[in-house]
Amino acid sequence: MNVTKKVLVAGASGYLGRYAVKEFKDRGYYVRVLVRDPEKIKTVGAHLEPAIYELADEIVVGDVTDPESINGICKGIDLVFSSLGLTSPDPKLTSYDVDYLGNKRILDQAIKERVSRFIYISVFNQDKMAEILSIKAHELFVADLKESGLSWAVIRPNGYFSDMGRFFSMAQSGHIFMVGEGEKKINPVHGADLAKISVDAAEGESREIAVGGPDIYTFREVMELAFHACGKSPWITPLPMWLAEGGLMVTGLFNRNLADLLSFAVEALKFDHVAPACGTRHLTEFFAELAGGVK
Ligand SMILES: NC(=O)c1ccc[n+]([C@@H]2O[C@H](COP(=O)([O-])OP(=O)(O)OC[C@H]3O[C@@H](n4cnc5c(N)ncnc54)[C@H](OP(=O)(O)O)[C@@H]3O)[C@@H](O)[C@H]2O)c1
């Protein structure tokens, strides 16, 4: 008899989470999603990630910073997938509150309900950025997950197309300030390609999987591609690294949470982020889609 497996997707309203919901559904899973705002998942996301309201079998409204709201979230669940995280500044919450404590609350429930496996999305190059608070929070959770006694998979992506979409938005405005010379390299990955790898990790040994996309670019090349897709001439102004770091210190004096998240963006530009190549979707096509027509 073929028993339908039940998965909880935490972070389901986000860029990767929506593709994960779609991929689990395509493979026949029963999908429960945890979202803060069900309205949000009725429409396609800012970086073309799919609407999933109609796809989900069950929608639970909850916030991981409010333990009561996620009580029983893992009841009857076989597998947890979490891409839940703090990716934009919040005036009240830190990465520790969301990436660590929030995911830990889900893990505690997964242990209580004897879930068979937990798939967590962390970050590539974590050792090189170990002092950044958001990386620390991710890795604190990874350590707890490995200690939990559950079977686990930790996915380590380098950068999503949605993140490259920020360069696209800046290119649309006509100008990009670039921290450093933009010579470091990255092979970003599409959410749908990453979701496939993540769902493949639902079975088998506990393991860590580093993931990048099929094409390697320097950050400057990514910006140039973005201008090209908008039909604009590249206008890129390099900012010296010391200036960006000084700006971060000043930002930290009045907005610690914003400074923590920006420090990730600045730190990430200091070295290459080339991860094992996966997937078939190309950044040029993604930018063309954002520009309003597949070229
Ligand atoms: N973007 C990248 O290039 C990249 C690269 C490597 C690793 N990662 C990691 O991958 C993960 C997913 O990234 P993403 O780009 O998909 O992020 P995203 O689009 O911002 O999605 C984050 C998800 O977490 C949810 N969430 C945040 N706080 C919550 C809370 N208190 N309670 C319940 N849900 C909450 C969000 O819900 P709302 O929709 O309600 O906000 C959203 O569904 C993150 O941990 C990120 O650090 C990202």
Side-chain angles (χ1 to χ4, degrees):
M1 194 178 67
N2 225 348
V3 182
T4 303
K5 284 205 170 171
K6 293 191 172 184
V7 61
L8 167 69
V9 177
S13 53
Y15 175 71
L16 176 58
R18 291 171 183 239
Y19 284 108
V21 170
K22 182 164 186 323
E23 187 65 29
F24 277 116
K25 280 310 296 174
D26 287 350
R27 298 203 202 180
Y29 282 78
Y30 175 99
V31 180
R32 177 184 297 165
V33 299
L34 170 64
V35 294
R36 292 192 287 191
D37 176 9
E39 287 303 310
K40 190 173 172 183
I41 56 172
K42 288 183 177 171
T43 51
V44 169
H47 298 106
L48 310 175
E49 55 277 25
I52 52 151
Y53 188 86
E54 300 295 339
L55 280 181
D57 295 290
E58 205 183 324
I59 297 174
V60 176
V61 178
D63 185 318
V64 289
T65 62
D66 170 11
E68 278 297 303
S69 73
I70 57 161
N71 216 357
I73 191 78
C74 291
K75 231 178 183 46
I77 287 295
D78 298 298
L79 176 75
V80 175
F81 167 94
S82 179
S83 58
L84 186 150
L86 184 69
T87 59
S88 49
D90 184 294
K92 295 199 189 94
L93 297 170
T94 62
S95 303
Y96 184 86
D97 298 325
V98 178
D99 296 279
Y100 177 58
L101 285 183
N103 279 299
K104 178 81 166 70
R105 288 189 183 110
I106 298 175
L107 177 62
D108 289 343
Q109 302 226 13
I111 295 167
K112 188 171 146 207
E113 300 294 340
R114 296 196 167 82
V115 162
S116 66
R117 193 168 173 91
F118 198 118
I119 302 169
Y120 178 62
I121 306 298
S122 190
V123 183
F124 181 64
N125 267 344
Q126 74 282 5
D127 294 338
K128 293 184 180 161
M129 302 185 286
E131 291 312 309
I132 295 173
L133 293 181
S134 61
I135 306 294
K136 275 190 179 165
H138 275 91
E139 295 312 305
L140 273 177
F141 179 73
V142 168
D144 281 7
L145 178 58
K146 289 178 177 175
E147 289 290 305
S148 69
L150 297 188
S151 156
W152 53 267
V154 172
I155 315 292
R156 297 196 173 280
N158 54 0
Y160 304 166
F161 279 12
S162 55
D163 246 28
M164 304 301 116
R166 294 174 211 265
F167 294 128
F168 182 86
S169 306
M170 289 189 264
Q172 270 184 321
S173 77
H175 179 233
I176 298 182
F177 279 112
M178 176 178 70
V179 177
E181 292 303 314
E183 83 281 15
K184 300 301 179 203
K185 293 182 178 138
I186 187 164
N187 56 330
V189 62
H190 191 288
D193 287 334
L194 181 55
K196 276 198 167 42
I197 303 287
S198 306
V199 177
D200 286 347
E203 313 271 344
E205 299 289 300
S206 292
R207 61 192 190 274
E208 301 199 21
I209 305 166
V211 187
D215 308 307
I216 301 174
Y217 297 109
T218 64
F219 281 99
R220 180 182 277 277
E221 283 168 343
V222 171
M223 293 173 201
E224 287 168 354
L225 286 178
F227 277 109
H228 186 249
C230 304
K232 298 194 177 187
S233 303
W235 180 18
I236 300 170
T237 309
L239 288 178
M241 195 55 85
W242 61 263
L243 191 60
E245 288 178 331
L248 266 181
M249 279 172 66
V250 175
T251 306
L253 294 177
F254 60 88
N255 191 334
R256 183 82 203 279
N257 294 352
L258 176 62
D260 285 346
L261 285 171
L262 287 179
S263 66
F264 174 67
V266 171
E267 197 62 26
L269 293 168
K270 291 184 183 168
F271 40 84
D272 292 335
H273 295 265
V274 180
C278 302
T280 56
R281 291 164 176 84
H282 301 282
L283 190 61
T284 46
E285 293 157 6
F286 173 70
F287 281 163
E289 286 167 21
L290 286 182
V294 182
K295 289 176 186 166

